[in-house]
Amino acid sequence: MARAVVTLPAQAKRGEIIEIKTLAAHSMETGFRRTQTGELIPRDIIRRFSCTYNGTEVYRVDLHPAIAANPLIVFTTIATETGTLSFQWVGDNGYTANETAPIRVE
Amino acid sequence: MSLRTALLLAACLLSAGAAAGEIPLSERRSGYELMGRETRAMQDDDATNPGMLWVLDGETLWRKKAGAADRACAACHGDARTSMKGVAARYPAFDAALKRPVNLEQRINMCRTGRQKAPPLAFESRELLALTAYVARQSRGLPINIAIDARSKPFLDAGSEAFHRRQGQLNLACSQCHDDNWGKRLAGSVIPQAHPTGYPLYRLEWQGLGSLGRRMRNCLVGIRAEPYAYGAPEFVDLELYLMWRANGMKIETPAVRP
């Protein structure tokens, strides 16, 4: 289950700065840990998170080992027009998660 | 020192020992109050509380058909927001058929094997934690209400006895930390009063959700004692005692702890 949760205001005034909170379920295995028998546990992390606002990329972040499991990413953007925000997480072993959220701008 | 002074001193020491035992209601603190501002903020906002990821998974599982009976939890229990409200505040509860208390995880598994005709979920599996978190989430904000009757009293007493019994290579009883020395520090961490108000909870140290059983196993390993298996009767008795001891405190599931 590639579970992700996105929280943002449902509506905003034009030009207002809005805060967006995102949470993705992921173990973020660093690739540096070993099992009790000494074998390396392979890396399994989210590598990139991006947010597009009506098709325009407004936020992007590269993730690296040693970022906590279930990463919480909070960022802001300016409410410019009514439309949809799309969120995408991409990671190792074919992991992808997608979420969308509508916003009404007055 | 005269005999009289010695006796007086002994009496003082004894009364001090008694006072250090049970925590008075006015001094009860959830682990929430002992943790930092940032961790509290993380728990308070559903948008940042990672435990909600499990709660949402649990909501999906609640509606998903399972087992040979091909029934979902929702087929019998309907909307969990009403049917499961307050349930977690009453568990562990006495089961008449088993003639002993069962905790919430065991109750869910009894439903799975008995009603859904599905194999039980493994303890600490993502599915069982998700379902438990979803059910317990419906009691958030409600006071813990463990009712003890003649049938469950022996199990409460067994739990209480375990809580006060010295064990392990360090020869420590749970009560020595959690009744007598709460609020002080153990290796840099504040010792909480051990009120299980928010289980299953998200522990930053675990980087995931875990049950009270996992927490108690951690504690037992910490005092160099042999931990019981998940769902062992000894653990359920102890869980019953801890929940009874926290009677009246509010459920926080899914809580966040450092």
Side-chain angles (χ1 to χ4, degrees):
Chain A
M1 283 183 270
R3 169 81 64 185
V5 187
V6 171
T7 314
L8 68 158
Q11 57 178 348
K13 289 196 179 73
R14 194 175 304 277
E16 190 184 336
I17 295 170
I18 52 164
E19 189 181 59
I20 302 167
K21 294 173 182 167
T22 71
L23 199 57
H26 200 287
S27 65
M28 294 298 281
E29 185 59 56
T30 61
F32 298 124
R33 298 199 307 160
R34 285 174 192 278
T35 64
Q36 281 191 326
T37 52
E39 290 153 73
L40 208 58
I41 304 170
R43 192 186 83 168
D44 183 13
I45 61 168
I46 299 173
R47 289 196 307 271
R48 175 162 287 192
F49 166 75
S50 62
C51 170
T52 56
Y53 187 173
N54 284 344
T56 313
E57 187 174 76
V58 291
Y59 185 82
R60 181 176 72 225
V61 58
D62 287 332
L63 290 91
H64 298 278
I67 288 177
N70 310 305
L72 164 73
I73 300 171
V74 181
F75 59 97
T76 54
T77 189
I78 296 169
T80 51
E81 57 192 347
T82 298
T84 312
L85 285 136
S86 309
F87 306 87
Q88 192 182 38
W89 293 259
V90 181
D92 294 335
N93 304 316
Y95 167 89
T96 55
N98 292 288
E99 282 290 327
T100 57
I103 185 162
R104 205 171 78 235
V105 177
E106 287 156 350
Chain B
M1 195 191 299
S2 73
L3 181 68
R4 202 174 151 173
T5 329
L7 278 174
L8 206 68
L9 198 67
C12 281
L13 283 173
L14 274 175
S15 64
E22 298 259 306
I23 303 167
L25 198 65
S26 59
E27 282 180 36
R28 292 239 210 104
R29 302 274 184 280
S30 159
Y32 175 86
E33 294 172 61
L34 301 171
M35 62 191 196
R37 184 168 53 94
E38 293 82 1
T39 323
R40 273 184 279 168
M42 194 175 177
Q43 172 176 325
D44 290 340
D45 185 354
D46 277 353
T48 61
N49 184 340
M52 290 309 290
L53 294 165
W54 277 260
V55 171
L56 292 170
D57 282 353
E59 192 177 7
T60 309
L61 289 168
W62 181 263
R63 300 209 192 93
K64 194 174 147 194
K65 288 178 178 178
D70 202 28
R71 287 176 77 84
C73 308
C76 288
H77 297 288
D79 189 345
R81 279 174 299 181
T82 50
S83 66
M84 291 296 122
K85 195 174 179 178
V87 169
R90 298 196 295 269
Y91 270 77
F94 191 83
D95 183 77
L98 288 176
K99 296 193 175 64
R100 61 162 294 110
V102 293
N103 64 23
L104 200 53
E105 284 93 341
Q106 291 172 320
R107 165 63 62 201
I108 289 169
N109 264 338
M110 282 159 70
C111 246
R112 267 185 75 83
T113 51
R115 313 270 178 210
Q116 293 181 305
K117 311 283 180 213
L121 297 166
F123 286 108
E124 301 306 291
S125 62
R126 190 170 178 100
E127 288 84 0
L128 186 55
L129 286 171
L131 268 174
T132 313
Y134 179 61
V135 169
R137 164 71 181 82
Q138 313 309 326
S139 303
R140 186 153 82 179
L142 297 174
I144 294 173
N145 180 23
I146 300 285
I148 298 294
D149 57 16
R151 298 175 308 171
S152 49
K153 185 76 168 59
F155 301 98
L156 178 75
D157 291 343
S160 169
E161 195 271 328
F163 189 79
H164 294 96
R165 184 179 67 231
R166 283 169 176 264
Q167 51 184 327
Q169 288 177 335
L170 297 190
N171 200 28
L172 277 171
C174 312
S175 60
Q176 287 182 288
C177 278
H178 299 295
D179 272 351
D180 303 346
N181 288 298
W182 63 268
K184 294 179 190 164
R185 280 170 187 274
L186 188 63
S189 308
V190 180
I191 303 172
Q193 293 181 351
H195 296 302
T197 48
Y199 285 93
L201 57 74
Y202 191 91
R203 190 165 285 277
L204 301 180
E205 178 196 326
W206 291 340
Q207 300 271 291
L209 206 75
S211 71
L212 179 55
R214 181 170 177 188
R215 176 63 255 182
M216 292 193 296
R217 280 171 63 91
N218 278 183
C219 259
L220 285 181
V221 170
I223 58 170
R224 316 279 186 271
E226 182 92 22
Y228 300 107
Y230 285 107
E234 290 86 351
F235 266 159
V236 181
D237 293 348
L238 192 52
E239 194 172 335
L240 179 70
Y241 173 71
L242 289 176
M243 286 293 277
W244 172 82
R245 187 170 162 269
N247 255 347
M249 298 179 77
K250 288 186 171 61
I251 297 271
E252 297 168 38
T253 309
V256 176
R257 292 290 182 270

